[in-house]
Amino acid sequence: GVRRQQCCQLCSAEEGCGLLLPDWLARANATYAGPEAVEGRECDAWRAEGAVATDEWLVERQDARRPCAYREHFSFPSGTYDHQLAFDAEGYRPGVVDEKLLDYPANCNKRCPKVFGQTCG
């Protein structure tokens, strides 16, 4: 795909965006959604109703600590929207993430044209 050198802020934690807690699947009473192949890997999918979307967390069948993908499915009166993050099996390293990696880039100081909860639905 094409990588664009632009950034905008979709929404804040108060508006439904933010990091997931490590125990979010248990808190959301996730259910097993079945096996699924993701980029050639055998994965298990778990599904839960989130604050604003149906969320899916896919992990490797042989090692549930290794993520395959994260998906969000949004349903609005204007239509449905899907968002997926696939994890690089070779580049993934378990452990604590350096918090600086979660900071917005310096050029990311404006709101997105389609702000969640205002123009998406």
Side-chain angles (χ1 to χ4, degrees):
V2 175
R3 185 179 176 122
R4 298 181 182 184
Q5 296 298 317
Q6 58 186 357
C7 179
C8 62
Q9 297 177 18
L10 181 62
C11 63
S12 67
E14 294 78 22
E15 295 167 308
C17 295
L19 297 176
L20 295 170
L21 296 171
D23 64 346
W24 74 274
L25 287 170
R27 287 174 178 243
N29 295 316
T31 57
Y32 182 65
E36 188 172 328
V38 176
E39 297 181 356
R41 295 186 286 160
E42 291 183 30
C43 304
D44 285 318
W46 295 87
R47 185 174 296 133
E49 291 302 319
V52 295
T54 300
D55 302 318
E56 289 186 352
W57 181 242
L58 291 86
V59 294
E60 287 186 359
R61 295 199 92 180
Q62 294 182 359
D63 183 355
R65 296 172 299 169
R66 295 181 58 85
C68 295
Y70 171 75
R71 297 180 185 143
E72 297 172 309
H73 179 77
F74 297 90
S75 294
F76 299 108
S78 61
T80 58
Y81 303 90
D82 292 304
H83 176 239
Q84 176 173 307
L85 302 171
F87 291 86
D88 176 11
E90 300 302 318
Y92 175 78
R93 302 287 180 267
V96 177
V97 174
D98 180 350
E99 288 188 28
K100 291 178 185 172
L101 293 173
L102 304 174
D103 290 342
Y104 284 110
N107 69 332
C108 193
N109 54 15
K110 63 182 177 182
R111 295 283 281 186
C112 296
K114 293 194 173 196
V115 178
F116 178 79
Q118 294 174 15
T119 57
C120 293

